[in-house]
Amino acid sequence: MWRKLLNFFRPAKLEAEIREEIEFHRAQTAGFFGNTGLIADHMRDASTIAWLEICAQDIRYGFRQLSKSPVLLAVAVLSLALGIGANTAIFTLIHAIMLQMLPVRDPGSLLLLYSGVSDGVTSGDLIGDAISYPFYQYLQAHNSALSELCAFRQGNDDVTMHVAGESDTRVEYASVHLVSANYFDVLGVGAAAGRVLRNTDDTRSSPPVAVMSYRFWDNRFHRDPAIPGKTIVLNGTPFTVAGIAAAEFFGERIRTAPDFWVPLSSEPQMLKREPLLDDANAFWLNFLARLKPGITRRAAEAELTAELHGFYLAQAGPHPSADAIHKIERVQITLQPGGGGISGLRYLYSKPLRVLMAVVALVLLIACANIATLLLARASARRPEFLCRLALGAPRIRLLRQVLTESILLSLLGGFAGALFAWCCVKTLILLLHFDPVVRVRPDPAVLAFTLLLSILTGIVFGIIPAWKFSRLDLRPSNVGGNTWRRRFGSTQMLITFQIALSLCLVVSAALLGRSLLELERQNIGFERNRILLVRTDAELAGYQQPQLADLYRNLSDRLIQLPGVQSAALARFSPVSGYSSSGSIAIEGNLPPPGKILNGWFLQVGPRFFATLRIPLLAGRPIDARDTAASTPVALVNQTFVNQYLQHLNPLGQHIYHGSSARGTGAEIVGVVADSKFYDLREHAEPMVFYPMSQQPVSGFELILRTAADPNGIAAEVRSALHQMNARLPMLEQQTLNQQLEHSLRQDKMITTLSSIFGLLALLLASIGIYGTLAYSAAGRTSEIGIRMAVGAQRADVVLLVLRDLVLVLVAGLTLGLLVAAVGTTWLRSFLFGVKPLDSLALAASVLLIAAVALTAGYLPAQRAARIDPMRALRHD
Amino acid sequence: MPRETLQGTLDLLILKTLARGTAHGYGITCAILNASQNQLRVEEGSLYPALRRLESAGLIKAEWKASESNRRARYYELTRAGRKQLAQIEKEWRTHTAVIEDFLAFE
């Protein structure tokens, strides 16, 4: 066997040996020997692996055939590379975002524990997703379903940080994640240096310790080996750095990696407010758990839910009201796969990625249709060759195998090129998506396997169609010398119709998304977006107490307006389209809602000159100004939508608004009405807004909004020094222009639009390549027919029309089919569209025209070439 | 002897010849011809493919050596597996012929 394999790899040597052996024999017998060629053949067959030999022959022959038609080779490999490349790129991203597991021990068995009301809506006033600390302790002691359970706070907290012993004049900020002490144990994450948290760290008497993230250790301390054991002051409390977490570990939340992990017991120091630890009704923790062996997820859910009910009923006192019992018993615990971590990214991009996946799948279909049409066309071109081989006695199976080998060869080449293309594509996609480097996208064996499988499958599927056609070739003379386009609507035409229909769908989607983006950008946002600088700060981090805030606002506001280059400046809790908002129920004196109906309002705390700085028009009354202080009458402004919805027949000025659902306490008097503007994001419809003076409702975190005379980024340094002069500890947390913020809020729309346009164009390109290739082939097959027609007087235009006539039929069929599919398919895009209907006639018409133009151009080139045929030469053809 | 009978016994003839010592292809033809008193003539078209087949099966091995005429020739030699196989075929052949003899002798 080995010898045979060896001989397979050195055919020349084998050949020479056989020759020499025969020559020797002939020399001995004075030239007498049987049929030398035949005997040598038999000897070769006996010395090597026959099927392998034939395969190698097929492959060699296949390569020769493919290199003889470079256009086919280029078109096919290009089509597959584009189709497979795009697919791999999208699959890689989906893999990275949707399927990737946390770098922890056995992520598949990790479960996230949620509590919620059984109808899927959180109850609001009892329990949300999160769970309280006392219930965590209760579960640790009482459950029989979970083998491991750890708790952590929802999200990270910003704290001040400095190294003990170093001067604290230049304050730094870090994010901390509060976790139970067994967090690292349960996840099975070790330390890169020092140690991770252990159970004795999580008692209120134990000395405070923290675990630093590898990234922070690297970026801030350049992997100083002396850091473990050092004392770091977080929010004024000294913490000993116990160790550095493993390099690849970033927490249970994708994308938001904390700088420190600290035990839950240090919650009071970190959050600087009333401790939540002992409050059974403070729901601020998430759990990760693993089941005990043999326990199903459903059984565990039932048991944990029973524990939860028991725990809260005991809390409710000896005689809870029926209402309280009902509220408690509505809450259910659910366990969900947690090995992928908690990912905002997954939520944010899952839908667009799925849409893109569908789009690239369509592109791949088009690419495959290309290969199929080309192979079909080629099949007819090779008909004489195959007939000849069949007539000479080639077994049918051998022909089938030959064709199949060639198409697999083709798709492997395409798959290889596609894998290369995919890596460039992934890089581009990551740029387009503005990914945080926390999500690492690197070559993945699963992704590569997926590509290869896809390409081989494509080869087999589309090798079979022409091969199947061949196997039915009939040797009767009437069938010898035909061509593809003889049948009016054969499989080739069907494939092209299908390609045109798919391309139309993709182009229509791209056109709709493009128009929608245009609408989003062009709409009236209600404020002036140019030359505005936004700076985010937080007074609490600088140690301000509530009563000092009003003074800070006034001083800061006065200082900012004096900066050179600043035309106007104001403070606000959130800047427009920041993605933050706060809302709640309200009551209006004299206009109480009917029972059961709640008036909902969106709130924003703003300082003086807010409306002037953003140029939001004041419609009635007065804006918020220096008159409004903590001591003066509480006031508010509302927007036009608020007036339209809640104060229709009343004069808004002088009305009183209350928080909550009844007119209790001190209401704020409406002193002005402003025009509607966007506040949360660019897609929102105008909401009823209420603006309160920051001086009357102080907030610790706020933004500075500065309108500048020139480039807003140019004054960032002055703003920083103004803040520093005000208080050296006041941080400049974020800084960007309003235009950047608006761009940022549109980035998902932009990404989808850009990618769908790219894929739409790709589809169009592929389809036109396919049309070109097929028509060129079929025209070549009709050379003698065209020659005869020209010889009997057909003009060039007639020939062009002759070749194009079939295409027009296919084009009309494809466009009709495409329109039908698009009519159904685009409703799927509805949630992505803004200001455009799914069946926008302009987008449809433009797409149809574009495709018709491209298809006819692709068809015209080969038609025109066919018309240049010299009739004399054409007649001698074949 | 008719050719058909020879076909099935070719392997036996080659292996037996080689059991008496190494030989090249032409030498094997001559040896068989001699040993059978010119009764068995092995054709090149059968011999050489058979040699290749036996070689691939590991029953014989080949080596290029200088021949009597000082020309390079491919010499074949029995391997251990070949020797075992020969014993097996010989035994089968003897049993087979004995059975046929008995059959023919039965009146």
Side-chain angles (χ1 to χ4, degrees), chain A residues 63-74:
Chain A
F63 265 119
R64 253 199 334 265
Q65 284 296 322
L66 289 178
S67 62
K68 260 202 270 175
S69 33
V71 177
L72 172 104
L73 187 69

Side-chain angles (χ1 to χ4, degrees), chain A residues 141-153:
Chain A
H142 285 94
N143 90 84
S144 56
L146 304 174
S147 65
E148 289 177 292
L149 174 70
C150 67
F152 45 90
R153 176 164 154 78

